[in-house]
Amino acid sequence: MAAPRPTPAPRKVFGRLSLPERTFVMDALRTETVGGVLLLLAAVAALVWANVPALSASYESAGHFHLGPAALGLHLSVEHWAADGLLAVFFFVAGIELKRELVAGDLKDPRAAVLPVVAALCGMATPAAVYTLTNLVGGGSLDGWAVPTATDIAFALAVLAVIGTSLPSALRAFLLTLAVVDDLFAILIIAVFFTERLDFAALGGAAVGLAVFWLLLHKGVRGWYVYVPLALVIWGLMYNSGVHATIAGVAMGLMLRCTPREGEEREQAPGERVEHLVRPVSAGLAVPLFALFSAGVPMSGGALAEVFTRPETLGVVLALVVGKTLGIFGGTWLTARFTGARLGDELAWADVFALAVLSGIGFTVSLLIGELAFTDDAALTDEVKAAVLTGSLIAAASATLLLKLRNARYRRLSEEEERDEDLDGIPDVYEQDDPDYHLRVAAILERKAAEHRRIAARKAAERASRLAEVPGGASEEDDRPA
């Protein structure tokens, strides 16, 4: 009679990453964290610039200063260049990240992809529902339903950097993957719901440009002097077509190859190489400059009070703080529940809840959608931006409190992940099944033991020498009167 087949172990949610995936994630997060701090500084600078009476007029003037070739339909304000031009770089990197996740990351495996995709979808649908319900009850405009749907990974990582939490790499990786999927759906929302007119000639020209871009990549043509001018032409045509120009960045990012060919190192794949070059430009320059010219909204006491009384702005705040949390936590819990997965070792659902609260930080894409949703009402646009900032601040403060409560455990997990006893550059947790690792550790321990034996022998000899110098071999302590 055949032996019964062993029951497979339940799949873990937020289990330990593979070593290559961990290396990539940590490198990406370092860049995003630095960019997030710059983004935070830019947002603060914008608020100061726009709200100090002596400076507010210059902020308005700088944002509305126009430049660019009018003959090409690109005589735009600085604010417009930041939103449509610089953010195309941000979405280009998002396109590369998405391509990499689809062909080499978590989204490649359908079983692993279910969790971040469901969590991201629930984390977008629930805030949209909260906003819609708030405005149906309050009689507000439904045009801003998409504003609170996006999570800002850079801002969230900046919060983690500022509060100094040692969040485990598996949770950080989930946050990064969640943001990638989130960006994909935000891009689709922008393309589908915020395209009011179409110039088919310009759109056709952009499509031809993208085809040429793909063909050059397919043929292995290299050189920034080929791709940068072509990318600018594609961007300009896409802008004039009526489709939001950032879509051009996403499309080009998705075309890059992110897997190495035979004989290539992983870092030699075009997607990996270009992302390594462009990500610092996106995180350190493009996004902070966009924030500088978008986040400067009036934040007086009266304006803040209106955030909680007007249905449009209250809907944004509630959607970011409540909707995001319920959507991401609920989506994650339901996915684990119906797939039979369990949490990784040492983690609890409280950690997932804190991460869901942190995901309520919506900044870059939320500000962009806020501008697109209320283009005909500048005052409401500013109020919605203030609501985005307020909701993000509440989410950040709440997540800080929750994460700090568990930070001692996170620090211990982080130390375990980073420990490298044999000093070979690979964390020990990834070498437990390697006999050579244990031999190296044994040799290190033997050297330490031999050194300690030499020290002990030397100290014993020194004590014996001191005792020999005392008459009768007795110690000075023993010579004391009773």
Side-chain angles (χ1 to χ4, degrees):
M1 182 176 178
R5 298 177 63 182
T7 304
R11 190 171 59 84
K12 290 184 180 180
V13 178
F14 309 120
R16 183 176 295 126
L17 304 175
S18 66
L19 183 58
E21 184 70 10
R22 180 183 183 276
T23 302
F24 172 83
V25 166
M26 297 311 289
D27 288 344
L29 290 175
R30 273 191 289 270
T31 304
E32 291 287 357
T33 300
V34 173
V37 173
L38 293 175
L39 175 63
L40 187 60
L41 293 174
V44 172
L47 289 171
V48 172
W49 193 0
N51 287 279
V52 173
L55 301 175
S56 57
S58 64
Y59 180 79
E60 195 77 16
S61 300
H64 291 124
F65 180 77
H66 281 64
L67 68 159
L72 299 178
L74 297 174
H75 189 64
L76 311 176
S77 67
V78 170
E79 191 177 274
H80 210 158
W81 276 111
D84 282 30
L86 292 176
L87 280 194
V89 180
F90 167 79
F91 279 108
F92 174 69
V93 174
I96 299 175
E97 289 176 339
L98 178 61
K99 177 68 173 289
R100 184 199 165 276
E101 289 291 336
L102 288 170
V103 300
D106 286 345
L107 302 183
K108 180 182 179 181
D109 181 0
R111 293 178 302 171
V114 168
L115 180 63
V117 170
V118 171
L121 283 172
C122 292
M124 298 183 82
T126 309
V130 169
Y131 175 91
T132 301
L133 181 62
T134 304
N135 281 270
L136 284 174
V137 172
S141 170
L142 300 182
D143 292 343
W145 65 270
V147 173
T149 57
T151 294
D152 195 300
I153 180 65
F155 220 136
L157 292 174
V159 171
L160 293 178
V162 169
I163 66 176
T165 186
S166 303
L167 199 65
S169 59
L171 290 178
R172 290 176 182 263
F174 174 72
L175 187 62
L176 184 63
T177 307
L178 183 76
V180 170
V181 180
D182 194 293
D183 285 341
L184 168 65
F185 289 111
I187 291 159
L188 293 175
I189 287 172
I190 291 171
V192 174
F193 294 99
F194 296 102
T195 299
E196 296 181 355
R197 60 172 183 82
L198 280 178
D199 184 326
F200 289 100
L203 187 60
V208 171
L210 288 170
V212 173
F213 189 89
W214 178 85
L215 184 63
L216 293 173
L217 288 172
H218 186 68
K219 295 294 184 182
V221 176
R222 301 182 66 172
W224 65 267
Y225 47 83
V226 174
Y227 291 102
V228 172
L230 178 59
L232 291 174
V233 171
I234 294 170
W235 176 87
L237 288 168
M238 189 69 76
Y239 175 82
N240 282 289
S241 73
V243 177
H244 201 271
T246 53
I247 305 301
V250 179
M252 288 184 278
L254 286 170
M255 290 182 182
L256 289 172
R257 177 169 57 83
C258 294
T259 51
R261 289 175 177 161
E262 187 176 352
E264 278 186 339
E265 296 291 333
R266 182 176 131 176
E267 294 77 12
Q268 293 176 315
E272 298 276 354
R273 190 172 64 251
V274 172
E275 183 182 14
H276 181 72
L277 293 172
V278 179
R279 184 188 284 275
V281 177
S282 169
L285 181 66
V287 176
L289 281 177
F290 167 75
L292 182 64
F293 289 104
S294 294
V297 294
M299 296 293 283
S300 64
L304 288 175
E306 288 182 3
V307 165
F308 296 98
T309 56
R310 184 160 184 166
E312 293 88 351
T313 51
L314 178 61
V316 169
V317 174
L318 290 177
L320 288 173
V321 177
V322 179
K324 272 286 182 183
T325 301
L326 293 178
I328 291 175
F329 180 79
T332 305
W333 186 86
L334 287 172
T335 302
R337 175 72 177 79
F338 287 105
T339 59
R342 63 181 178 85
L343 285 178
D345 298 334
E346 303 292 338
L347 294 178
W349 283 107
D351 303 313
V352 182
F353 185 82
L355 197 70
V357 175
L358 183 69
S359 299
I361 299 175
F363 191 78
T364 306
V365 179
S366 292
L367 292 179
L368 174 62
I369 295 178
E371 292 180 355
L372 297 174
F374 300 105
T375 52
D376 298 330
D377 191 338
L380 183 54
T381 298
D382 283 347
E383 290 172 3
V384 167
K385 287 182 179 180
V388 170
L389 295 173
T390 303
S392 298
L393 183 60
I394 294 172
S398 303
T400 297
L401 177 62
L402 294 172
L403 292 170
K404 277 295 186 181
L405 293 174
R406 301 270 293 173
N407 201 38
R409 181 181 292 271
Y410 296 155
R411 192 178 297 113
R412 180 170 58 79
L413 291 175
S414 180
E415 289 171 355
E416 290 177 3
E417 287 184 356
E418 297 294 336
R419 187 177 294 114
D420 184 13
E421 295 281 353
D422 59 342
L423 305 176
D424 66 344
I426 300 175
D428 295 339
V429 293
Y430 292 99
E431 299 185 292
Q432 296 302 310
D433 297 329
D434 182 2
D436 290 338
Y437 159 75
H438 293 286
L439 291 175
R440 288 194 299 271
V441 171
I444 291 170
L445 293 176
E446 179 56 36
R447 286 196 297 271
K448 289 181 179 180
E451 180 63 24
H452 285 301
R453 283 194 291 269
R454 284 194 296 270
I455 294 171
R458 188 180 70 246
K459 288 183 176 180
E462 290 173 354
R463 283 196 300 271
S465 176
R466 287 196 299 271
L467 288 172
E469 294 174 359
V470 178
S475 67
E476 294 178 359
E477 289 81 355
D478 293 339
D479 210 26
R480 292 177 301 181

